[in-house]
Amino acid sequence: MLGSAPKAHYSNIEQGTARSTVKELKFGIIGTGWPGQQHAIGLAEIPDVQLHSCADSNLERLRGFAEIYRLESSFEDYQELLRDRDLDAAIICLPNFLHFPASLAALEAGKHVFCEKPPTMNAAEMKVLRDEAAKRNLIYFFGRQFRFTPAIRTAHEIITEGRLGRIYRARATWVRSRGIPGGIGSWFTDKKCSGGGALIDIGVHALDTAWYLMGTPRPTSITAKVFCNFAHFVSVPIFDVEDEAHAFIRFANDTFVELETSWAANLTDDTPVGPEWVGRESNNAVLFGTKGPLRIKPLTLFEDQKGKLVTVPLEPRYSDNSFEMQLGNFAAAIGGEAPAINNAEQAFELMEMIDGIYASNELGREVPIP
């Protein structure tokens, strides 16, 4: 069935949170800001996994993190962390431009890698990581905790059960009316540090959610347009990225996804009011199937019953923490007990789509994905 993924995926997540391997895995976190803290909390709940060390160039933050989580080792230079022979895996939570060099250094040091989104700045970098991990028989895992939320896990099962029929298109949205991030050192708006703007920051989440639930079909071509209209809303030294992006992505199985994302846009009053600093905000995905559509927020199936679309509100079937579930799958993949749900090949194809959106905008036409 088009648009579905093997049901075994989610049973394997459950296995990943109750690992039976004898060897305790030792993890190190590189970057101790908010994402690193969430991963530290998640790791504490996973059997046979130890948060062993951390690294951060911010000495004050490093010391506080090491003290809170009672770590054996902490380093200002992540290269020192990677030289630890006892370390099995590195979790990379650095600004975007450091994802590739830190991930490559970790793989070359023989460590499994978990890297926050976006995996890299572009597909060429991600291809290097994919091939390096395969050559060394290591797990490369990109951070996409949304795949592990109760709503997405439930939606995945509903799709696998065939209740949507054949998925033929999807719509993915993450828009804000006034939500341009400043970031540490304002790097979010500096392309050489971030790789892009709203698309690579929040749009990648929306796109991946829809794409994952469609079964991660192979992208074949993209038509896109990006805008930068509201740089004057923030006071930063450099603003050379987009604040809004729109894309139409075709896939090899004759399906497509429409993507809409913005940090700042003049949105109408049918967009819900979000946190104060973002203004209005909508973060959602809708999957359209031959038997009816499925909306993520609120989780609802619009099911064909005797020729009529009937609204069927759904309650998530799970309540587990998404960071914990994601790390459980990463650990299970390292132990050979489950496939990595967020794998290197998907990270490469996701970055191909991001590259294609920027290329289509640049060229003013549809672009093929090789």
Side-chain angles (χ1 to χ4, degrees):
M1 180 183 71
L2 292 177
S4 65
K7 191 169 184 178
H9 271 195
Y10 276 116
S11 63
N12 283 328
I13 295 178
E14 300 297 343
Q15 294 168 16
T17 58
R19 299 175 57 253
S20 58
T21 183
V22 174
K23 181 183 182 296
E24 182 179 65
L25 296 174
K26 293 187 176 183
F27 285 22
I29 291 178
I30 300 174
T32 59
W34 184 85
Q37 294 164 20
Q38 299 308 304
H39 294 309
I41 294 168
L43 284 173
E45 302 301 320
I46 302 173
D48 302 319
V49 171
Q50 176 194 357
L51 177 52
H52 176 68
S53 56
C54 65
D56 199 307
S57 59
N58 184 315
L59 187 56
E60 181 181 355
R61 192 167 61 190
L62 175 69
R63 287 173 174 167
F65 189 93
E67 182 178 344
I68 290 171
Y69 298 105
R70 300 178 181 179
L71 302 186
E72 294 182 16
S73 307
S74 60
F75 308 92
E76 288 184 77
D77 183 351
Y78 70 74
Q79 296 283 2
E80 292 185 46
L81 177 146
L82 295 175
R83 282 193 280 271
D84 184 349
R85 293 185 178 181
D86 291 334
L87 192 71
D88 295 293
I91 299 175
I92 296 166
C93 307
L94 298 171
N96 298 358
F97 70 101
L98 296 173
H99 288 183
F100 173 69
S103 295
L104 183 59
L107 292 171
E108 289 176 340
K111 315 303 181 188
H112 302 283
V113 169
F114 178 111
C115 184
E116 269 296 336
K117 67 84 192 170
T120 52
M121 299 273 272
N122 53 57
E125 290 181 346
M126 189 55 237
K127 183 178 185 298
V128 172
L129 299 182
R130 180 197 66 184
D131 295 348
E132 188 70 20
K135 181 178 75 174
R136 295 176 180 272
N137 198 29
L138 294 167
I139 298 296
Y140 175 91
F141 195 105
F142 69 103
R144 268 291 297 132
Q145 75 273 8
F146 283 19
R147 292 185 175 194
F148 297 83
T149 61
I152 298 303
R153 293 173 65 196
T154 301
H156 184 277
E157 291 186 354
I158 293 293
I159 291 168
T160 304
E161 290 164 6
R163 293 180 69 179
L164 272 68
R166 180 180 65 86
I167 294 174
Y168 57 92
R169 72 180 181 99
R171 184 170 65 238
T173 306
W174 195 338
V175 294
R176 296 169 175 167
S177 64
R178 300 292 185 270
I180 300 172
I184 300 171
S186 302
W187 64 263
F188 275 89
T189 59
D190 184 347
K191 189 171 184 177
K192 73 177 185 297
C193 295
S194 63
L199 172 63
I200 209 166
D201 179 36
I202 58 176
V204 68
H205 281 298
L207 172 58
D208 183 77
T209 295
W211 181 54
Y212 173 65
L213 290 175
M214 295 172 79
T216 63
R218 174 71 186 165
T220 56
S221 67
I222 296 175
T223 303
K225 178 64 181 174
V226 309
F227 298 95
C228 182
N229 292 322
F230 301 104
H232 57 280
F233 285 169
V234 291
S235 178
V236 292
I238 300 175
F239 198 123
D240 59 355
V241 297
E242 79 287 347
D243 52 39
E244 185 170 341
H246 301 263
F248 183 96
I249 304 171
R250 297 177 185 270
F251 299 106
N253 62 354
D254 199 30
T255 64
F256 69 87
V257 64
E258 298 170 273
L259 173 67
E260 178 185 16
T261 187
S262 69
W263 276 338
N266 289 326
L267 303 176
T268 54
D269 64 1
D270 56 346
T271 307
V273 175
E276 184 178 355
W277 78 276
V278 305
R280 295 189 177 277
E281 181 177 49
S282 176
N283 172 16
N284 216 335
V286 182
L287 289 296
F288 295 87
T290 53
K291 292 183 179 179
L294 176 70
R295 182 182 62 208
I296 300 303
K297 295 181 180 179
L299 189 59
T300 309
L301 176 65
F302 301 88
E303 194 167 39
D304 186 299
Q305 296 181 8
K306 297 180 180 179
K308 294 183 179 180
L309 277 180
V310 177
T311 302
V312 183
L314 299 171
E315 288 294 326
R317 299 171 179 175
Y318 306 92
S319 59
D320 313 88
N321 178 276
S322 59
F323 283 90
E324 180 186 334
M325 297 299 290
Q326 180 175 232
L327 288 164
N329 179 244
F330 177 49
I334 292 172
E337 299 168 359
I341 288 177
N342 303 3
N343 61 54
E345 181 61 32
Q346 290 175 9
F348 171 64
E349 293 186 11
L350 185 60
M351 292 315 300
E352 281 190 310
M353 287 188 273
I354 298 296
D355 284 359
I357 291 171
Y358 288 132
S360 175
N361 177 74
E362 196 86 14
L363 297 170
R365 60 172 172 80
E366 183 176 41
V367 297
I369 295 181

